[in-house]
């Protein structure tokens, strides 16, 4: 990730990976194409514009993705005081991510399309 301009820190003893909050999602996605997915599946803080975040179609896809994750054994962590969460790279999370790849792909495609519309 570092070789591709994403200043990720090494995982801690619990397997937690943190990415800086100022890294654009598009930069992370480019690095993931070379390196493989971030083991925390995007746990980094991502600043998504309100018009993207509030898109009804995107919200429906996000709900579908997280429902799939829970149905496949993922238990969401308790948020920190600032509302952020850090995902632990666990076998349960990895299994749920694998089971929900199609939902994640549709969510990411919608998010990307909305962000590209906003860039115009």
């Amino acid at each position: 990730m570092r070789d591709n301009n994403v200043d990720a820190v090494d995982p801690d003893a619990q397997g937690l990976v943190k990415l800086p909050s100022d890294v654009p999602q598009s930069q992370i996605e480019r690095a993931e194409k070379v390196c493989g997915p971030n083991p925390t599946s995007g746990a980094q803080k991502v600043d998504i514009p309100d018009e993207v975040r509030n898109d009804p179609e995107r919200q429906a896809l996000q709900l579908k993705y997280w429902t799939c994750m829970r149905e496949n054994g993922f238990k969401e962590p308790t948020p920190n005081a600032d509302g952020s969460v850090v995902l632990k790279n666990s076998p349960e999370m990895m299994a749920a991510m694998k089971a929900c790849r199609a939902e994640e792909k549709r969510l990411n495609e919608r998010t990307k399309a909305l962000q590209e519309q906003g860039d115009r």
Side-chain angles (χ1 to χ4, degrees):
M1 295 295 273
R2 289 184 205 114
D3 290 342
N4 289 279
N5 301 314
V6 176
D7 191 24
V9 297
D10 292 332
D12 64 16
Q14 297 177 322
L16 300 176
V17 176
K18 292 184 182 180
L19 298 178
S21 62
D22 61 343
V23 177
Q25 185 64 29
S26 59
Q27 189 172 336
I28 293 168
E29 289 170 3
R30 282 191 299 271
E32 286 180 339
K33 286 181 183 176
V34 175
C35 307
N38 170 16
T40 60
S41 186
Q44 70 279 358
K45 180 180 175 186
V46 177
D47 294 322
I48 298 176
D50 287 342
E51 60 271 11
V52 174
R53 185 182 316 279
N54 296 330
D55 175 71
E57 182 180 342
R58 184 186 175 280
Q59 288 175 336
L61 290 167
Q62 190 171 31
L63 178 62
K64 194 171 190 176
Y65 172 72
W66 286 108
T67 299
C68 178
M69 290 288 287
R70 285 189 294 278
E71 288 173 349
N72 283 281
F74 177 71
K75 292 183 177 76
E76 295 179 52
T78 303
N80 297 320
D82 66 358
S84 65
V85 294
V86 177
L87 301 179
K88 185 176 179 183
N89 188 3
S90 67
E92 294 82 10
M93 183 182 84
M94 299 309 288
M97 286 173 57
K98 185 176 182 180
C100 301
R101 281 188 181 147
E103 289 82 359
E104 182 182 26
K105 181 179 179 186
R106 285 191 289 275
L107 173 60
N108 289 341
E109 287 172 349
R110 179 64 181 166
T111 301
K112 183 178 178 181
L114 289 166
Q115 288 174 325
E116 287 174 352
Q117 285 176 355
D119 290 342
R120 293 181 197 164

